[in-house]
Amino acid sequence: MLVIQIYADNPLRNFNYLIACPSSREALVVDPLDVTRCLAAAKQHGLKITKILNTHEHWDHIDGNEEMRRHTGARLYAHNGAMGVIDHVDVGLYAGDTIAVGQSIKLKVLDTPGHTRSHVCLLANSAVPGLFCGDTLFNAGAGNCHNGGNVDDLYDTFSQQLAKLPDNTKIYPGHDYILTNLKFTLDREPGNRAAEDMLNMLLDHDPHNAYITTMAEERRINSFFRLDSPVIIDKLKSEDPDFSAAPSPRDVFTALRARRNTW
């Protein structure tokens, strides 16, 4: 599997992706906001874009659809629940569906509500798994629930699906927020050595050559996977006298998401 991460270099710090079959050179493009860069990358690598995948319906993930369709004739895939708000969807997706790319790539569809109610992630079950996670999971962080989302759904997605992925799964999010997210982790869990080390390593981070985390790293640096950390829990208790004396993981996740909203 060939994965090309394309940084849009815009204020929202979007990532677009090409997922390609090395033998047939067919490619799927994920959330192609920066169509010019996506087409240039496809040309550079000798790829033919035949499919477009929108992880969800927000404008910064769908606005390039029509231009990309005009240039490539590619078919458009999106969550079945988003077909009423994303124009010209050819295939509505359900949990467990498979998208084939060329001769060798099969991408499993995960139904991952939370950031929006109609959000999908793609899991490439290759020798080294890869998760293309839109705005559900970020490197060292979690998506917000501001525009059509729900924090309980997001917690369920994290706890019931993402937390069960293998350690070697590579994480390919929809935006480059890693430095800010690492700083949030350290605000919530001072002394997290793994987050400190990664932040120091990435201070001169170039999003055009972004660091790709794994699930093993996320479990160490991402506070939304560290819901049983005594440091995180004690800090939440110290900040809110009404916070539960024995919080559930859902309680901790919800409190962290609320603090990240205004952090």
Side-chain angles (χ1 to χ4, degrees), residues 16 32-40 63-65 67-68 71:
N16 306 159
L33 179 64
D34 193 327
V35 175
T36 298
R37 279 190 167 94
C38 291
L39 293 174
D63 265 18
N65 286 351
E67 184 181 357
M68 182 62 73
H71 282 281

Side-chain angles (χ1 to χ4, degrees), residues 12 14-16 30-33 52-65 76 86 115 119 133-136 138 173-175 177:
L12 294 177
N14 286 77
F15 282 131
N16 306 159
V30 180
D31 294 338
L33 179 64
I52 302 165
L53 182 284
N54 291 153
T55 57
H56 63 292
E57 67 271 23
H58 288 162
W59 73 266
D60 59 316
H61 294 257
I62 70 171
D63 265 18
N65 286 351
L76 176 59
I86 301 176
H115 178 66
H119 194 298
C133 41
D135 288 2
T136 296
F138 295 124
H175 297 265
Y177 298 153

Side-chain angles (χ1 to χ4, degrees), residues 39-118:
L39 293 174
K43 182 177 181 179
Q44 177 185 351
H45 293 272
L47 305 177
K48 177 178 174 57
I49 296 171
T50 59
K51 295 179 172 72
I52 302 165
L53 182 284
N54 291 153
T55 57
H56 63 292
E57 67 271 23
H58 288 162
W59 73 266
D60 59 316
H61 294 257
I62 70 171
D63 265 18
N65 286 351
E66 292 310 305
E67 184 181 357
M68 182 62 73
R69 284 161 59 94
R70 287 197 304 271
H71 282 281
T72 66
R75 302 187 80 202
L76 176 59
Y77 294 67
H79 192 290
N80 70 91
M83 294 181 72
V85 291
I86 301 176
D87 291 336
H88 305 130
V89 175
D90 295 299
V91 180
L93 299 170
Y94 294 84
D97 285 351
T98 298
I99 301 175
V101 182
Q103 301 167 357
S104 59
I105 308 301
K106 294 189 183 301
L107 304 167
K108 181 181 178 181
V109 175
L110 307 182
D111 189 347
T112 52
H115 178 66
T116 69
R117 293 190 181 276
S118 300

Side-chain angles (χ1 to χ4, degrees), residues 53-222:
L53 182 284
N54 291 153
T55 57
H56 63 292
E57 67 271 23
H58 288 162
W59 73 266
D60 59 316
H61 294 257
I62 70 171
D63 265 18
N65 286 351
E66 292 310 305
E67 184 181 357
M68 182 62 73
R69 284 161 59 94
R70 287 197 304 271
H71 282 281
T72 66
R75 302 187 80 202
L76 176 59
Y77 294 67
H79 192 290
N80 70 91
M83 294 181 72
V85 291
I86 301 176
D87 291 336
H88 305 130
V89 175
D90 295 299
V91 180
L93 299 170
Y94 294 84
D97 285 351
T98 298
I99 301 175
V101 182
Q103 301 167 357
S104 59
I105 308 301
K106 294 189 183 301
L107 304 167
K108 181 181 178 181
V109 175
L110 307 182
D111 189 347
T112 52
H115 178 66
T116 69
R117 293 190 181 276
S118 300
H119 194 298
V120 295
C121 296
L122 296 181
L123 180 62
N125 291 313
S126 51
V128 179
L131 182 73
F132 299 86
C133 41
D135 288 2
T136 296
L137 170 63
F138 295 124
N139 303 125
N144 67 52
C145 306
H146 296 155
N147 299 300
N150 179 277
V151 70
D152 282 321
D153 289 343
L154 189 62
Y155 170 74
D156 289 340
T157 289
F158 267 64
S159 62
Q160 296 175 19
Q161 297 190 69
L162 305 186
K164 298 177 181 180
L165 294 173
D167 276 351
N168 65 337
T169 305
K170 293 186 175 183
I171 305 304
Y172 299 102
H175 297 265
D176 172 51
Y177 298 153
I178 190 168
L179 294 182
T180 302
N181 286 336
L182 286 168
K183 292 173 185 176
F184 178 75
T185 293
L186 291 170
D187 177 77
R188 295 291 92 200
E189 191 179 14
N192 181 321
R193 184 61 183 271
E196 289 176 351
D197 289 347
M198 186 170 290
L199 181 60
N200 289 331
M201 178 181 72
L202 296 178
L203 286 177
D204 296 323
H205 161 77
D206 177 6
H208 290 287
N209 184 28
Y211 184 79
I212 307 299
T213 63
T214 65
M215 274 303 304
E217 290 173 313
E218 292 297 324
R219 292 184 171 100
R220 295 192 293 268
I221 66 171
N222 190 330

Side-chain angles (χ1 to χ4, degrees), residues 244-255:
S244 172
S248 68
R250 187 184 298 272
D251 292 334
V252 178
F253 187 97
T254 301

